[in-house]
Amino acid sequence: MKFYQRLAYYLVGFVIGLFFVAMVLSGKDTRCNYFPNARVLNDIRNKPFIYDTEASRRLTEDWVDTADVKNTLTYGDVDFDKSNIPTDGGKLYIVYGKTKKDKEITLEIINYTEKAVLRNIIKRTTKE
């Protein structure tokens, strides 16, 4: 068998394989959360999210709203030096983010196995 025939068989098989992989993966909601920051934030977002009384009080103020919290849970940064601390049957996570007005905020979230509780929202004046 000549080289161009082997190349043609290889390319036909490769295209058929790509077709089947595309069919299998197109119907699924697949995410590539390989880094710890993305995995923690995805875990928190996929659980029922509850606002504690202190966090609810902060949300009534003008400088932060629920859209800022959701944006921080999507694009924020988890401080692992201060996080993953056992607290009240869950683990405390500190997440840094920004509001729509470009003010820096810190979220204190307790991540339980069945839910996530936003404990506090802190306005940061400088980088921590």
Side-chain angles (χ1 to χ4, degrees):
M1 187 180 298
K2 297 183 181 176
F3 175 74
Y4 71 90
Q5 289 175 328
R6 287 186 297 206
L7 183 63
Y9 278 122
Y10 171 77
L11 290 177
V12 168
F14 185 73
V15 169
I16 291 172
L18 283 178
F19 176 74
F20 283 119
V21 168
M23 281 182 41
V24 168
L25 293 180
S26 67
K28 296 184 179 183
D29 185 23
T30 56
R31 291 186 181 96
C32 297
N33 294 331
Y34 295 118
F35 295 111
N37 192 62
R39 292 178 69 181
V40 167
L41 292 177
N42 188 38
D43 182 47
I44 291 172
R45 281 194 314 265
N46 288 331
K47 292 180 181 177
F49 198 73
I50 300 169
Y51 296 95
D52 196 3
T53 55
E54 181 66 24
S56 297
R57 188 180 67 77
R58 299 280 185 176
L59 287 172
T60 60
E61 299 173 4
D62 289 339
W63 59 274
V64 69
D65 61 1
T66 56
D68 297 327
V69 172
K70 290 181 182 180
N71 192 30
T72 300
L73 289 177
T74 303
Y75 302 108
D77 294 318
V78 179
D79 186 356
F80 286 101
D81 291 334
K82 298 178 183 177
S83 297
N84 206 10
I85 300 169
T87 306
D88 299 329
K91 292 185 178 181
L92 176 69
Y93 286 96
I94 306 296
V95 182
Y96 300 129
K98 289 188 176 184
T99 64
K100 288 181 279 190
K101 298 175 185 174
D102 206 33
K103 295 184 180 182
E104 295 181 348
I105 60 172
T106 301
L107 304 180
E108 293 179 357
I109 301 167
I110 300 176
N111 190 13
Y112 298 99
T113 55
E114 70 280 348
K115 65 182 177 181
V117 177
L118 178 60
R119 186 168 79 174
N120 197 3
I121 305 169
I122 302 167
K123 185 190 315 185
R124 290 188 295 150
T125 55
T126 60
K127 279 247 188 236
E128 294 181 13

